[in-house]
Amino acid sequence: EVHVLLKGNNEPFVMQQTHPFQEEFRGLGVAEMAWSLRKGRPNRASKEMAYHALEVLHGIAISSEKRAHYDLKSSFELTPAIPRGYFTGLNINEIEESAIAL
């Protein structure tokens, strides 16, 4: 569970899970990349997203040093996640991430 304490509140609340994967799914990102390649769609771990994430981190450092707002110059288009229910009906008890490449 992820507990969030909002400014001005004394009591934390449990943040709702928005993703269907709530267990240990190590390797899921690589499996999604392979699935995307097989389906002919862009994968979610794009070089554009990596560059944007790097610029965000760099921008935080610049903003902190200069004590000024930093305007991001990069952007990327987020590829939709694997469809909800993709795993429904599959027996993936031992090697979860391998089921995605089917």
Side-chain angles (χ1 to χ4, degrees):
E1 291 184 344
V2 177
H3 296 264
V4 178
L5 182 62
L6 296 175
K7 186 176 183 177
N9 291 341
N10 294 328
E11 291 295 319
F13 70 93
V14 176
M15 192 165 197
Q16 287 289 91
Q17 296 291 326
T18 60
H19 297 80
F21 308 109
Q22 297 179 6
E23 302 294 327
E24 177 64 58
F25 281 93
R26 293 171 65 184
L28 185 61
V30 173
E32 188 277 333
M33 185 181 289
W35 181 76
S36 294
L37 289 169
R38 291 180 80 177
K39 297 291 184 180
R41 72 174 220 162
N43 69 72
R44 291 174 60 88
S46 69
K47 64 184 179 294
E48 293 82 10
M49 182 180 74
Y51 181 81
H52 184 71
L54 180 62
E55 186 188 4
V56 167
L57 294 173
H58 188 65
I60 290 170
I62 291 172
S63 177
S64 178
E65 282 177 11
K66 295 185 176 185
R67 297 182 184 269
H69 180 78
Y70 176 81
D71 288 318
L72 294 171
K73 293 159 188 64
S74 68
S75 66
F76 70 99
E77 189 171 323
L78 184 61
T79 303
I82 296 168
R84 253 189 208 281
Y86 182 79
F87 289 114
T88 303
L90 295 175
N91 184 5
I92 55 171
N93 294 330
E94 293 186 29
I95 308 174
E96 294 89 351
E97 60 269 12
S98 66
I100 202 168
L102 296 175

